[in-house]
Amino acid sequence: MRAPISWLRDYVDVAPGVTGRDVAASLVRVGLEEEGLHGGDVTGPLVVGRVLGLVEEPQKNGETIRWCQVDVGEHGQRLTDGTAQGIVCGALNFAVGDLVVVVLPGAVLPGGFAISARKTYGHISNGMICSARELGLGEDHDGIIVLQEWFEGDEEVLGALKPGDDAISLLGLEDEVVEVTITPDRGYCFSLRGIAREYGSATGGAFRDPAALAVDRGEGPGYPVEVVDEAPLLGRVGCDRYVARVIRDVDASRPSPHWMQKRLTQSGMRPISLAVDITNYVMLALGQPLHAFDVSGLSGSIVVRRARPGEQLTTLDDVRRTLFPEDLLITDGGQAPLAIAGVMGGAASEVTGATTDILVESAHFDPTTVARSSRRHKLVTEASKRYERGVDVDLADAAAQLAVNLLQELGGGVPDPGVTDVDLRRPRTPVRLDPMLPARLVGLPWSAQDVVDTLREVGCEVDDTGDGDLTVLSPSWRPDLEDGADFAEEVARLRGYDQIPSVLPQAPGGRGLTHDQRVRRVVANTLAHHGFAEVLTYPFVGEKVHDQLGLEADDPRRAALRVANPLSEEAPLMRTSVLSTLLEALRRNISRGQRDVAVFEVGLVTRPELPLRVAPVPGVDARPDEDTLQQIRAAVPHQPRRVALALAGDADRGGWWGPGRPVDWSDAVGAARALGAALAVDLRVTADEHAPWHPGRCARITLADGTLVGHAGELHPKALAALGLPARTCAAELDVDVLSTASDTVVEARRLSTYPVAHSDVALVVPAGVPAGEVEAALRQGTGDLLESLSLFDVYTGDQVGDQHRSLAYRMEFRAPDRTLTTEEVNGLRDRAIASAAAATGAVQRGA
């Protein structure tokens, strides 16, 4: 919200000499965040110029520039001993004879941009013809300011303009404008009225309410209006007040006065026409959005209702919109839609220059209704931003009156004697407040009188109940003040946040990290040491991700919970797998040029059990009993913690030493094994088929007792194509909770032997379908405790082993704790291992 200092002075006392920075600092003290300062930073000669001639010169790059001769009055004598200045300009929206804004050498534009004469496009350009954005008057940079268009219809101003006149005062650039950020709970500050009130609270300046004007209550009935809300939202009607005023014989073709156009421009709004400018001016001044209808386009009444299935409306932005049943509409006699309430009007009832009779709508709409319509239609307007933050419910009649007064004064209109005011407001309910609550919550010694004085300064009505408490009725413009904590925050805000001392909390003695926390740290550190980068993704997915991963129709991972108010409609489901969001992070990194990527994430997944249970909603007056707490806990879906990792590209980069090695399934399995080793958990690896992994390159990771830990391997080509990932991308996902439970045991340290190790290699021929993990397990079982390590170092398929068979070569290392093993002992251990493998898998020693 932008607040021109000159406009702010109309509503609150601002001491002479106060700058925009001073005003911003005062507003910051009461909790309004400064967004920026505008205006007041243009120095030097900024003048009115008249274009005497121009020559268009095409350039080699396809652009066309104009070499212009511009009359800048007496300033031309200083620069070139003549009146016409040569200026290069790239804009094409002006002609010979137009009055423009010219900045001359020696001036400084916003942002510290100093102007000097310089050579460009083969000419010496003595200044610059300015656009609105270059002067900080808006974002329009498509063309320069043509003053005949800027002040169109204001003959008094245009008739007095001549080359050389000061354009700084003409455009109001000497007036500073403070821009503040409005948080959702401070909607009343979306107006000069609200900002002036806050500035008065910060400085003690007297506040003059612009809404305190005589309101005509009318004689007889006004324009017929009916509010019908067949589907009230959360027990509230979508419109609880609708004020309609009709003013006739308005000359809508008249231009808005210069002072109004200047204030609108300073506030970031472009002047459009008299009726529109007046409604925007009232909205900026009071915070109450208005809408103007052409009475000639109405059938004779207005009905406020919800949309019907299939209804459509062409809004003022010329977009044909299909309406939703939850949309609140302003309709013509209950039939044709005229506007989406609180968001945007329709083109059919738009006020034009030929309009003579105008209906001014000033209504109060439910914030939730407006917010949802705005989001459904992706249509954020100045009106919707104010309504969804809460508009003063008592302001509708005063805002309509101010608009009628301005239409009467500036457009020559005559208001109808009748006034329509459909009032469905509910009375505000006072709140009981312990006057010592703010002191207890904030920690400052505020007395009860301090609290009373501060709340009355806010606008609250405060009475003593006689039993030590206060009854507080919040003002109509503060719908956010609902309970004691809200009032305590107001006291702290106005008394000054800087008065609250900073006290460092004392860390209580504890027992350190829990076992689960230590496991999570070990998991993260281990993967980081293996070259993986940790990422954090949002735990929300869309329904299509399950299809992309190739999950079967009955896969339990498809049973995902839907979020009631998702951050994005494209991702409304809670993830059931960390891999479903991690792979998107991998894809994004690869799409941005990272060819070799290895990432991991430790996070929660949501795995609901069907049917879903509904948690009871206990009251807040007492602690729920154990039965209620148990029902609440039972209704919370299971949320196990998982770790997922994904990698693509090269595992070992190439260079002068040779080509790189691309990642393969063994890297994912190796990372899973590394986690088991770091946690002292014995993990077993067997072949499996489990989406989204490749059926022939998928490893099932289990504990020694068969408990499933997760899967690892190469992802399925169809899943990779659907997800936009490169071929041979590998991944793993493990259950951290299972690993944590399995590692929560005492591990007896193994005594180190000082005797030498004995090696023995063996090659076994097995059927091609026999997993290497089964062969390894059989070898381990046959060797006993003297086996120190066992590793697969070669796999061979070919004519020497026959069709449908393969050779697996293992290296075994033996070591005894009390002696050096003899050759006979090592051979015996090897033979026992071979016999065990033969009995379990049908393995035959190669070459035997």
Side-chain angles (χ1 to χ4, degrees), residues 76-113:
Q77 298 292 336
R78 174 178 64 85
L79 295 171
T80 59
D81 295 329
T83 58
Q85 300 302 304
I87 298 176
V88 173
C89 184
L92 304 175
N93 66 317
F94 63 97
V96 173
D98 282 347
L99 293 172
V100 294
V101 180
V102 180
V103 58
L104 298 174
V108 178
L109 292 182
F113 182 48

mmCIF file of all heavy atoms in Angstrom, residues 76-113:
data_model
loop_
_atom_site.group_PDB
_atom_site.id
_atom_site.type_symbol
_atom_site.label_atom_id
_atom_site.label_comp_id
_atom_site.label_asym_id
_atom_site.label_seq_id
_atom_site.Cartn_x
_atom_site.Cartn_y
_atom_site.Cartn_z
ATOM 1 N N GLY A 76 17.184 25.900 -22.856
ATOM 2 C CA GLY A 76 17.973 25.678 -24.056
ATOM 3 C C GLY A 76 19.102 26.679 -24.204
ATOM 4 O O GLY A 76 20.143 26.363 -24.787
ATOM 5 N N GLN A 77 18.914 27.899 -23.679
ATOM 6 C CA GLN A 77 19.971 28.907 -23.762
ATOM 7 C C GLN A 77 21.200 28.455 -22.973
ATOM 8 O O GLN A 77 22.332 28.665 -23.391
ATOM 9 C CB GLN A 77 19.443 30.244 -23.206
ATOM 10 C CG GLN A 77 18.262 30.811 -23.973
ATOM 11 C CD GLN A 77 18.648 31.261 -25.370
ATOM 12 O OE1 GLN A 77 19.810 31.563 -25.635
ATOM 13 N NE2 GLN A 77 17.688 31.286 -26.287
ATOM 14 N N ARG A 78 20.959 27.822 -21.823
ATOM 15 C CA ARG A 78 22.068 27.373 -20.980
ATOM 16 C C ARG A 78 22.848 26.248 -21.643
ATOM 17 O O ARG A 78 24.065 26.136 -21.490
ATOM 18 C CB ARG A 78 21.526 26.915 -19.627
ATOM 19 C CG ARG A 78 22.574 26.284 -18.713
ATOM 20 C CD ARG A 78 21.976 25.895 -17.385
ATOM 21 N NE ARG A 78 20.965 24.866 -17.503
ATOM 22 C CZ ARG A 78 21.240 23.567 -17.534
ATOM 23 N NH1 ARG A 78 22.493 23.156 -17.506
ATOM 24 N NH2 ARG A 78 20.260 22.679 -17.636
ATOM 25 N N LEU A 79 22.157 25.413 -22.382
ATOM 26 C CA LEU A 79 22.791 24.201 -22.902
ATOM 27 C C LEU A 79 23.479 24.425 -24.239
ATOM 28 O O LEU A 79 24.627 24.009 -24.432
ATOM 29 C CB LEU A 79 21.752 23.084 -23.023
ATOM 30 C CG LEU A 79 21.154 22.595 -21.698
ATOM 31 C CD1 LEU A 79 19.997 21.655 -21.969
ATOM 32 C CD2 LEU A 79 22.215 21.892 -20.868
ATOM 33 N N THR A 80 22.789 25.056 -25.185
ATOM 34 C CA THR A 80 23.352 25.132 -26.548
ATOM 35 C C THR A 80 23.153 26.504 -27.182
ATOM 36 O O THR A 80 23.217 26.614 -28.411
ATOM 37 C CB THR A 80 22.684 24.082 -27.449
ATOM 38 O OG1 THR A 80 21.272 24.315 -27.476
ATOM 39 C CG2 THR A 80 22.957 22.678 -26.943
ATOM 40 N N ASP A 81 22.886 27.500 -26.363
ATOM 41 C CA ASP A 81 22.630 28.849 -26.891
ATOM 42 C C ASP A 81 21.469 28.858 -27.875
ATOM 43 O O ASP A 81 21.427 29.644 -28.819
ATOM 44 C CB ASP A 81 23.881 29.420 -27.585
ATOM 45 C CG ASP A 81 25.025 29.632 -26.596
ATOM 46 O OD1 ASP A 81 24.706 29.910 -25.413
ATOM 47 O OD2 ASP A 81 26.179 29.509 -26.991
ATOM 48 N N GLY A 82 20.548 27.961 -27.705
ATOM 49 C CA GLY A 82 19.363 27.921 -28.544
ATOM 50 C C GLY A 82 18.232 27.269 -27.792
ATOM 51 O O GLY A 82 18.390 26.818 -26.659
ATOM 52 N N THR A 83 17.049 27.230 -28.368
ATOM 53 C CA THR A 83 15.898 26.657 -27.666
ATOM 54 C C THR A 83 15.701 25.192 -27.993
ATOM 55 O O THR A 83 15.199 24.436 -27.175
ATOM 56 C CB THR A 83 14.620 27.428 -28.028
ATOM 57 O OG1 THR A 83 14.439 27.375 -29.447
ATOM 58 C CG2 THR A 83 14.724 28.883 -27.574
ATOM 59 N N ALA A 84 16.040 24.747 -29.172
ATOM 60 C CA ALA A 84 15.802 23.359 -29.568
ATOM 61 C C ALA A 84 16.981 22.483 -29.161
ATOM 62 O O ALA A 84 18.136 22.822 -29.415
ATOM 63 C CB ALA A 84 15.573 23.264 -31.073
ATOM 64 N N GLN A 85 16.665 21.375 -28.507
ATOM 65 C CA GLN A 85 17.688 20.432 -28.076
ATOM 66 C C GLN A 85 17.564 19.145 -28.889
ATOM 67 O O GLN A 85 16.460 18.626 -29.106
ATOM 68 C CB GLN A 85 17.518 20.105 -26.585
ATOM 69 C CG GLN A 85 17.635 21.314 -25.678
ATOM 70 C CD GLN A 85 18.979 22.014 -25.847
ATOM 71 O OE1 GLN A 85 20.023 21.389 -25.698
ATOM 72 N NE2 GLN A 85 18.956 23.293 -26.176
ATOM 73 N N GLY A 86 18.710 18.617 -29.326
ATOM 74 C CA GLY A 86 18.704 17.340 -30.021
ATOM 75 C C GLY A 86 18.712 16.197 -29.009
ATOM 76 O O GLY A 86 19.602 16.112 -28.172
ATOM 77 N N ILE A 87 17.703 15.331 -29.086
ATOM 78 C CA ILE A 87 17.559 14.229 -28.128
ATOM 79 C C ILE A 87 17.231 12.953 -28.892
ATOM 80 O O ILE A 87 16.327 12.933 -29.739
ATOM 81 C CB ILE A 87 16.462 14.518 -27.088
ATOM 82 C CG1 ILE A 87 16.824 15.763 -26.274
ATOM 83 C CG2 ILE A 87 16.251 13.318 -26.169
ATOM 84 C CD1 ILE A 87 15.754 16.175 -25.277
ATOM 85 N N VAL A 88 17.949 11.869 -28.571
ATOM 86 C CA VAL A 88 17.677 10.562 -29.155
ATOM 87 C C VAL A 88 16.634 9.858 -28.298
ATOM 88 O O VAL A 88 16.751 9.809 -27.066
ATOM 89 C CB VAL A 88 18.953 9.707 -29.230
ATOM 90 C CG1 VAL A 88 18.630 8.286 -29.678
ATOM 91 C CG2 VAL A 88 19.965 10.343 -30.169
ATOM 92 N N CYS A 89 15.590 9.287 -28.931
ATOM 93 C CA CYS A 89 14.524 8.605 -28.198
ATOM 94 C C CYS A 89 14.110 7.353 -28.966
ATOM 95 O O CYS A 89 13.982 7.378 -30.191
ATOM 96 C CB CYS A 89 13.322 9.530 -28.013
ATOM 97 S SG CYS A 89 11.993 8.807 -27.020
ATOM 98 N N GLY A 90 13.885 6.270 -28.247
ATOM 99 C CA GLY A 90 13.477 5.016 -28.885
ATOM 100 C C GLY A 90 11.982 4.797 -28.902
ATOM 101 O O GLY A 90 11.503 3.859 -29.545
ATOM 102 N N ALA A 91 11.205 5.628 -28.187
ATOM 103 C CA ALA A 91 9.751 5.454 -28.132
ATOM 104 C C ALA A 91 9.112 5.960 -29.422
ATOM 105 O O ALA A 91 9.624 6.874 -30.087
ATOM 106 C CB ALA A 91 9.172 6.188 -26.928
ATOM 107 N N LEU A 92 7.947 5.389 -29.750
ATOM 108 C CA LEU A 92 7.266 5.748 -31.003
ATOM 109 C C LEU A 92 5.860 6.276 -30.764
ATOM 110 O O LEU A 92 5.102 6.445 -31.719
ATOM 111 C CB LEU A 92 7.195 4.512 -31.918
ATOM 112 C CG LEU A 92 8.525 3.828 -32.247
ATOM 113 C CD1 LEU A 92 8.279 2.570 -33.054
ATOM 114 C CD2 LEU A 92 9.461 4.772 -32.985
ATOM 115 N N ASN A 93 5.494 6.567 -29.495
ATOM 116 C CA ASN A 93 4.101 6.911 -29.203
ATOM 117 C C ASN A 93 3.858 8.414 -29.117
ATOM 118 O O ASN A 93 2.917 8.855 -28.480
ATOM 119 C CB ASN A 93 3.684 6.275 -27.868
ATOM 120 C CG ASN A 93 4.427 6.850 -26.675
ATOM 121 O OD1 ASN A 93 5.630 7.056 -26.745
ATOM 122 N ND2 ASN A 93 3.717 7.125 -25.594
ATOM 123 N N PHE A 94 4.689 9.225 -29.769
ATOM 124 C CA PHE A 94 4.481 10.674 -29.741
ATOM 125 C C PHE A 94 4.712 11.223 -31.145
ATOM 126 O O PHE A 94 5.266 10.558 -32.021
ATOM 127 C CB PHE A 94 5.415 11.347 -28.720
ATOM 128 C CG PHE A 94 6.884 11.199 -29.038
ATOM 129 C CD1 PHE A 94 7.581 12.197 -29.692
ATOM 130 C CD2 PHE A 94 7.575 10.042 -28.679
ATOM 131 C CE1 PHE A 94 8.920 12.054 -29.984
ATOM 132 C CE2 PHE A 94 8.914 9.890 -28.961
ATOM 133 C CZ PHE A 94 9.596 10.898 -29.620
ATOM 134 N N ALA A 95 4.275 12.482 -31.343
ATOM 135 C CA ALA A 95 4.363 13.100 -32.657
ATOM 136 C C ALA A 95 4.827 14.539 -32.504
ATOM 137 O O ALA A 95 4.920 15.075 -31.382
ATOM 138 C CB ALA A 95 3.009 13.043 -33.364
ATOM 139 N N VAL A 96 5.110 15.170 -33.614
ATOM 140 C CA VAL A 96 5.501 16.579 -33.615
ATOM 141 C C VAL A 96 4.367 17.409 -33.012
ATOM 142 O O VAL A 96 3.196 17.216 -33.333
ATOM 143 C CB VAL A 96 5.831 17.048 -35.040
ATOM 144 C CG1 VAL A 96 6.071 18.553 -35.069
ATOM 145 C CG2 VAL A 96 7.039 16.297 -35.583
ATOM 146 N N GLY A 97 4.715 18.332 -32.140
ATOM 147 C CA GLY A 97 3.729 19.178 -31.468
ATOM 148 C C GLY A 97 3.342 18.686 -30.092
ATOM 149 O O GLY A 97 2.736 19.443 -29.311
ATOM 150 N N ASP A 98 3.664 17.431 -29.731
ATOM 151 C CA ASP A 98 3.295 16.893 -28.412
ATOM 152 C C ASP A 98 4.147 17.519 -27.318
ATOM 153 O O ASP A 98 5.328 17.857 -27.519
ATOM 154 C CB ASP A 98 3.483 15.374 -28.381
ATOM 155 C CG ASP A 98 2.351 14.638 -29.089
ATOM 156 O OD1 ASP A 98 1.318 15.295 -29.373
ATOM 157 O OD2 ASP A 98 2.492 13.435 -29.364
ATOM 158 N N LEU A 99 3.524 17.657 -26.146
ATOM 159 C CA LEU A 99 4.233 18.096 -24.950
ATOM 160 C C LEU A 99 4.715 16.849 -24.206
ATOM 161 O O LEU A 99 3.934 15.933 -23.943
ATOM 162 C CB LEU A 99 3.318 18.918 -24.050
ATOM 163 C CG LEU A 99 2.873 20.279 -24.606
ATOM 164 C CD1 LEU A 99 1.819 20.907 -23.712
ATOM 165 C CD2 LEU A 99 4.070 21.223 -24.751
ATOM 166 N N VAL A 100 6.012 16.831 -23.891
ATOM 167 C CA VAL A 100 6.620 15.670 -23.258
ATOM 168 C C VAL A 100 7.399 16.122 -22.031
ATOM 169 O O VAL A 100 7.547 17.320 -21.779
ATOM 170 C CB VAL A 100 7.548 14.927 -24.241
ATOM 171 C CG1 VAL A 100 6.753 14.328 -25.387
ATOM 172 C CG2 VAL A 100 8.639 15.857 -24.775
ATOM 173 N N VAL A 101 7.884 15.151 -21.270
ATOM 174 C CA VAL A 101 8.696 15.439 -20.088
ATOM 175 C C VAL A 101 10.149 15.157 -20.442
ATOM 176 O O VAL A 101 10.495 14.053 -20.879
ATOM 177 C CB VAL A 101 8.260 14.563 -18.888
ATOM 178 C CG1 VAL A 101 9.122 14.869 -17.674
ATOM 179 C CG2 VAL A 101 6.791 14.791 -18.566
ATOM 180 N N VAL A 102 11.002 16.166 -20.251
ATOM 181 C CA VAL A 102 12.399 16.070 -20.656
ATOM 182 C C VAL A 102 13.280 16.265 -19.433
ATOM 183 O O VAL A 102 13.114 17.227 -18.677
ATOM 184 C CB VAL A 102 12.742 17.134 -21.720
ATOM 185 C CG1 VAL A 102 14.207 17.025 -22.127
ATOM 186 C CG2 VAL A 102 11.833 16.989 -22.930
ATOM 187 N N VAL A 103 14.211 15.343 -19.234
ATOM 188 C CA VAL A 103 15.216 15.497 -18.193
ATOM 189 C C VAL A 103 16.504 15.933 -18.876
ATOM 190 O O VAL A 103 16.952 15.339 -19.856
ATOM 191 C CB VAL A 103 15.414 14.186 -17.397
ATOM 192 C CG1 VAL A 103 15.820 13.030 -18.286
ATOM 193 C CG2 VAL A 103 16.418 14.380 -16.271
ATOM 194 N N LEU A 104 17.116 17.020 -18.365
ATOM 195 C CA LEU A 104 18.261 17.651 -19.008
ATOM 196 C C LEU A 104 19.560 17.310 -18.267
ATOM 197 O O LEU A 104 19.530 16.868 -17.107
ATOM 198 C CB LEU A 104 18.056 19.161 -19.051
ATOM 199 C CG LEU A 104 16.830 19.623 -19.862
ATOM 200 C CD1 LEU A 104 16.630 21.118 -19.728
ATOM 201 C CD2 LEU A 104 16.978 19.233 -21.328
ATOM 202 N N PRO A 105 20.698 17.494 -18.913
ATOM 203 C CA PRO A 105 21.979 17.206 -18.258
ATOM 204 C C PRO A 105 22.101 17.945 -16.931
ATOM 205 O O PRO A 105 21.726 19.107 -16.806
ATOM 206 C CB PRO A 105 23.011 17.693 -19.286
ATOM 207 C CG PRO A 105 22.321 17.533 -20.605
ATOM 208 C CD PRO A 105 20.883 17.873 -20.345
ATOM 209 N N GLY A 106 22.625 17.206 -15.930
ATOM 210 C CA GLY A 106 22.751 17.752 -14.585
ATOM 211 C C GLY A 106 21.689 17.253 -13.636
ATOM 212 O O GLY A 106 21.824 17.398 -12.414
ATOM 213 N N ALA A 107 20.629 16.625 -14.176
ATOM 214 C CA ALA A 107 19.561 16.104 -13.322
ATOM 215 C C ALA A 107 19.906 14.685 -12.859
ATOM 216 O O ALA A 107 20.779 14.016 -13.418
ATOM 217 C CB ALA A 107 18.240 16.098 -14.082
ATOM 218 N N VAL A 108 19.194 14.249 -11.818
ATOM 219 C CA VAL A 108 19.351 12.887 -11.289
ATOM 220 C C VAL A 108 17.967 12.279 -11.154
ATOM 221 O O VAL A 108 17.083 12.840 -10.501
ATOM 222 C CB VAL A 108 20.068 12.881 -9.923
ATOM 223 C CG1 VAL A 108 20.167 11.455 -9.397
ATOM 224 C CG2 VAL A 108 21.450 13.500 -10.035
ATOM 225 N N LEU A 109 17.767 11.118 -11.780
ATOM 226 C CA LEU A 109 16.487 10.408 -11.731
ATOM 227 C C LEU A 109 16.492 9.391 -10.586
ATOM 228 O O LEU A 109 17.536 9.127 -9.982
ATOM 229 C CB LEU A 109 16.240 9.702 -13.069
ATOM 230 C CG LEU A 109 15.990 10.611 -14.274
ATOM 231 C CD1 LEU A 109 15.722 9.766 -15.518
ATOM 232 C CD2 LEU A 109 14.847 11.576 -14.030
ATOM 233 N N PRO A 110 15.313 8.821 -10.261
ATOM 234 C CA PRO A 110 15.253 7.829 -9.183
ATOM 235 C C PRO A 110 16.274 6.706 -9.378
ATOM 236 O O PRO A 110 16.505 6.237 -10.490
ATOM 237 C CB PRO A 110 13.820 7.297 -9.280
ATOM 238 C CG PRO A 110 13.043 8.436 -9.840
ATOM 239 C CD PRO A 110 13.968 9.118 -10.795
ATOM 240 N N GLY A 111 16.866 6.289 -8.259
ATOM 241 C CA GLY A 111 17.898 5.265 -8.302
ATOM 242 C C GLY A 111 19.292 5.827 -8.488
ATOM 243 O O GLY A 111 20.249 5.082 -8.698
ATOM 244 N N GLY A 112 19.410 7.177 -8.399
ATOM 245 C CA GLY A 112 20.730 7.797 -8.543
ATOM 246 C C GLY A 112 21.235 7.831 -9.965
ATOM 247 O O GLY A 112 22.450 7.914 -10.197
ATOM 248 N N PHE A 113 20.319 7.811 -10.963
ATOM 249 C CA PHE A 113 20.700 7.798 -12.370
ATOM 250 C C PHE A 113 20.977 9.230 -12.825
ATOM 251 O O PHE A 113 20.058 10.018 -13.036
ATOM 252 C CB PHE A 113 19.591 7.168 -13.189
ATOM 253 C CG PHE A 113 19.900 7.056 -14.664
ATOM 254 C CD1 PHE A 113 21.109 6.538 -15.099
ATOM 255 C CD2 PHE A 113 18.983 7.457 -15.613
ATOM 256 C CE1 PHE A 113 21.402 6.426 -16.444
ATOM 257 C CE2 PHE A 113 19.254 7.353 -16.966
ATOM 258 C CZ PHE A 113 20.476 6.837 -17.382
#
